[in-house]
Amino acid sequence: MICQSDITNLKTDILGKVGQKIIVKGSLGRSKIFEKEATIEKAYPNLFVVRYEENDRNVTYSYTDVLTRTVEVNVFNGETYSPLVPPAETISKRRRNIKEVMV
């Protein structure tokens, strides 16, 4: 389940990475997957804009696209690409630990 705090955290992460190179991975249906290099252009309250380098085209994605893993975004940190959102198993372990602490 996606919490409001997850969306808020992702918005601030993306806002801080405007202008950085990323790799966007997603599905085109029927087992077709795309992977393109892009740059984060702008961030708005409900979506963010990405400019693909190969065809100089802007595309918008919502924050829930990233959180539901409809698209994967890997950010270039100067040497390598790292995922913007941690893998699903890391998130579920963190939430489980929080619930254990609360009990």
Side-chain angles (χ1 to χ4, degrees), residues 19-31:
Q20 279 192 299
K21 283 187 165 190
I22 59 171
I23 290 182
V24 179
K25 296 179 189 177
S27 173
L28 297 171
R30 292 194 158 232
S31 302

Side-chain angles (χ1 to χ4, degrees), residues 22-94:
I22 59 171
I23 290 182
V24 179
K25 296 179 189 177
S27 173
L28 297 171
R30 292 194 158 232
S31 302
K32 295 178 185 173
I33 297 173
F34 74 92
E35 183 174 328
K36 295 183 179 183
E37 202 168 84
T39 305
I40 300 174
E41 288 285 308
K42 296 178 184 177
Y44 295 103
N46 296 320
L47 53 90
F48 61 100
V49 180
V50 167
R51 178 177 292 280
Y52 288 125
E53 293 178 2
E54 71 179 32
N55 55 5
D56 200 34
R57 193 179 98 184
N58 285 346
V59 178
T60 60
Y61 294 105
S62 71
Y63 300 108
T64 54
D65 288 339
V66 177
L67 291 173
T68 59
R69 304 199 189 309
T70 303
V71 293
E72 288 182 37
V73 177
N74 294 314
V75 180
F76 187 66
N77 63 11
E79 297 176 8
T80 61
Y81 286 91
S82 59
L84 183 62
V85 176
E89 58 193 38
T90 305
I91 293 171
S92 64
K93 286 181 184 177
R94 183 178 63 201

